[in-house]
Amino acid sequence: MTNLQELLQTQAVSLTALPPLALYIHFPWCEKKCPYCDFNSHQIKKGGINQSGFDETRYIQALIKDLETELPNTWGRQVHSIFIGGGTPSLLSPAGMDELLCAIRARVNLEPDAEITMEANPGSIEAEKFAAFAKCGINRVSIGVQSFDDEKLQTLGRIHNGAEAKQAIAIALKHFKSVNLDLMYGLPNQSLEDAKVDVQTALSFGTPHLSFYNLTLEPNTYFANYPPKLPSDDEVDAIFEQNLNLLSEAGYERYEVSAYAKKNQECKHNLNYWRFGDYIGIGAGAHGKISFPDRITRQIRERHPETYMSAMESKGNALIESKVIESKDLPFEFMLNALRLTSGVETYTFSERTGLPLSVISKALAEASKKGLLDENPNTLKASTLGLRYLNNLQELFLN
C-alpha cells in the first residue's frame, strides 16, 4: 500500500462549513418509455387511477413522508433550489403540484426566490395547465424537445412532433421565468445540416438555457439491444463543433460539458451538483447526498414506484442504501463533478467540500498537468481544452 493510500485510509473528514442544500424530487412515470432512456421511468397504463394511469394522491403522500424522514438530517439548513425530474413530472395535476409544493414550504426553510424547476415533455404541455403550474410556484421549466425533425423524433420513440415542440416552447415562454430546451445530437442518420437546422430552430426561441446531449447507447435499453445506425465519431465531432460555434455566436456560454446559458442564466440546481453541494433526494429511485461536520453520506431509494410507495407506507422509509462515503472515494467523486464545469472550481473548494487536504490529490494533479489535461492556474481546478475533450481520461486520474 502506498503512503497516499495509507493516508486516505486513516484521513478523517472534517468540514468547516456545510455546503448549499437543494431538493430533488423524482416523478417516475412517462406516457411512453423511449428506446434510448436508461432513467428510472415507467410507462403509465391509461385508464388506471383517475384515468391518469398512476395514483397521484398516494405518490404525493409518500413524497411528503419521505421528505419528513430527511428533516432531522438537515435541521436549520436552507434549501436553495428544487428540481422535479423524471419521468415526466408535467403529468401531475396542478392541484397535485400545489399540494406537494405547499407541503415542502411548510416543512423546509426554502429560500424566498428559490429556483424551482420542473421537467416536461412537449406531448404533456397544455397552456391552461402550465399557467396553473406557474401559480403553484414553478419558475423554471426544462422541455425535452430532443429534435424538431419529425423523422428523427419518430425514430427516438417520442410522442410529439416538431410542430408540437414549437408550440410547447411558446407556451412555456409565456408562463415561466426561465426555460431550458434539451436537444440531442448524433441521432440516427443525422447529417451535419440536419443538426444545424435543429440548433437554429432552438435558438430562434431565445430561451435563456440550452442543453445538448450526444445520443449514446446505454445498457438495458431497447437501443442497446437493437442499435440504430448512428453517425461516425468524426461526424459526431463535426456536429458538436458546429453546435458550439452556433451557440457562441448567439451569445450562449458553454458553462458545463452539456449546458449552455446566456449571461447569469445558468441552472442553479445543477451548479450545486457540480460544485459538490448537498441535496435531499426523494421519490422512487432518488439519490441523495448529505454532509455532516465529520462525514458525507449518500442514499438510494427503492426504484419501482409501487415498491417505493409500499415501503413508505409500511416502514416509514424506502431506503435501500445509506452509507458514508469513504475518504478514499471522495477525491474522485468531487473531481467527477467539478471538472465538468468549463470554469472549474476554486482550488480551496476541494478541502471545503470534501473535508480532506489538497495534498491527497497532489500526485494526480501533477500527472494531469503533465498530460496537458488540467489548466495551469493553481488557484482553480479546471480542465484544459484538451481535458474537456478527454474528460473521462482526466477524471479517471483521481480514482482512489
Side-chain angles (χ1 to χ4, degrees):
M1 185 179 289
T2 67
N3 291 337
L4 178 58
Q5 287 174 321
E6 290 172 350
L7 173 64
L8 281 169
Q9 290 285 2
T10 58
Q11 182 71 51
V13 170
S14 179
L15 296 178
T16 56
L18 298 178
L21 179 67
L23 171 63
Y24 174 76
I25 303 165
H26 192 73
F27 181 86
W29 289 284
C30 279
E31 291 189 68
K32 182 182 178 184
K33 181 76 172 179
C34 296
Y36 58 84
C37 178
D38 68 337
F39 294 147
N40 182 32
S41 60
H42 304 263
Q43 186 166 320
I44 60 175
K45 296 177 180 179
K46 286 293 186 181
I49 303 292
N50 299 325
Q51 300 301 309
S52 65
F54 58 92
D55 193 334
E56 176 176 285
T57 299
R58 187 180 174 211
Y59 192 69
I60 289 172
Q61 289 305 309
L63 289 174
I64 294 169
K65 193 169 186 178
D66 198 356
L67 176 61
E68 289 174 345
T69 66
E70 287 302 312
L71 296 181
N73 296 324
T74 56
W75 284 129
R77 298 178 65 180
Q78 189 170 55
V79 172
H80 298 277
S81 65
I82 298 173
F83 196 102
I84 309 169
T88 308
S90 51
L91 291 173
L92 278 168
S93 70
M97 183 67 76
D98 189 51
E99 180 186 357
L100 177 60
L101 291 178
C102 285
I104 291 168
R105 292 188 186 97
R107 287 162 175 79
V108 304
N109 178 15
L110 184 64
E111 189 175 277
D113 60 346
E115 176 189 88
I116 305 178
T117 303
M118 176 187 70
E119 289 186 333
N121 285 332
S124 65
I125 293 177
E126 305 164 14
E128 186 176 332
K129 194 175 185 183
F130 264 43
F133 283 147
K135 288 180 181 178
C136 293
I138 302 293
N139 53 32
R140 183 176 184 273
V141 67
S142 180
I143 305 176
V145 173
Q146 314 314 350
S147 176
F148 294 95
D149 185 307
D150 289 350
E151 183 183 338
K152 302 294 187 295
L153 288 168
Q154 188 172 14
T155 302
L156 291 173
R158 306 296 290 176
I159 63 171
H160 67 274
N161 57 35
E164 289 169 332
K166 294 173 187 176
Q167 183 182 22
I169 297 166
I171 292 171
L173 285 169
K174 287 182 181 179
H175 297 292
F176 300 101
K177 180 180 176 182
S178 185
V179 176
N180 168 64
L181 305 182
D182 277 348
L183 272 86
M184 301 177 81
Y185 66 93
L187 305 179
N189 301 310
Q190 186 179 47
S191 68
L192 196 61
E193 183 59 28
D194 291 338
K196 184 177 183 180
V197 171
D198 262 354
V199 175
Q200 289 176 328
T201 304
L203 291 174
S204 71
F205 290 95
T207 60
H209 196 285
L210 295 168
S211 300
F212 282 89
Y213 303 96
N214 181 19
L215 174 62
T216 54
L217 305 184
E218 301 293 345
N220 303 315
T221 63
Y222 181 86
F223 272 2
N225 295 322
Y226 304 97
K229 180 176 172 52
L230 300 180
S232 67
D233 289 344
D234 287 343
E235 289 171 321
V236 170
D237 286 345
I239 290 172
F240 171 75
E241 292 299 332
Q242 174 183 257
N243 288 359
L244 198 59
N245 292 332
L246 289 169
L247 288 159
S248 179
E249 291 168 4
Y252 291 81
E253 180 184 353
R254 185 191 186 199
Y255 71 97
E256 188 268 344
V257 170
S258 302
Y260 304 76
K262 292 183 178 180
K263 189 173 181 179
N264 299 322
Q265 293 296 317
E266 298 87 352
C267 177
K268 294 177 182 178
H269 187 88
N270 286 341
L271 279 174
N272 187 55
Y273 288 150
W274 298 319
R275 291 170 177 162
F276 212 51
D278 280 355
Y279 53 97
I280 301 167
I282 62 173
H287 290 226
K289 170 186 172 283
I290 303 294
S291 299
F292 300 87
D294 61 345
R295 65 194 187 281
I296 300 172
T297 63
R298 282 208 183 276
Q299 300 174 332
I300 304 174
R301 284 156 170 77
E302 293 279 2
R303 283 180 58 86
H304 195 279
E306 177 57 40
T307 308
Y308 167 78
M309 290 186 288
S310 296
M312 289 307 309
E313 291 161 353
S314 62
K315 300 188 298 181
N317 78 72
L319 292 175
I320 57 172
E321 185 176 299
S322 181
K323 67 176 184 178
V324 175
I325 306 174
E326 294 185 44
S327 296
K328 66 183 180 63
D329 296 323
L330 281 170
F332 176 69
E333 289 216 16
F334 177 88
M335 299 301 279
L336 184 70
N337 289 280
L339 292 174
R340 292 183 63 89
L341 291 169
T342 59
S343 60
V345 296
E346 294 179 283
T347 302
Y348 70 79
T349 310
F350 176 81
S351 295
E352 184 182 79
R353 297 289 163 88
T354 65
L356 300 173
L358 189 66
S359 58
V360 302
I361 58 168
S362 57
K363 183 178 179 181
L365 290 174
E367 187 175 353
S369 297
K370 183 179 179 181
K371 293 181 176 181
L373 301 175
L374 207 63
D375 187 84
E376 294 182 0
N377 184 349
N379 295 319
T380 61
L381 299 173
K382 173 186 171 183
S384 64
T385 302
L386 184 67
L388 281 174
R389 183 176 287 273
Y390 297 101
L391 186 58
N392 288 343
N393 301 79
L394 172 57
Q395 292 165 331
E396 285 171 1
L397 294 176
F398 298 91
L399 269 171
N400 291 340

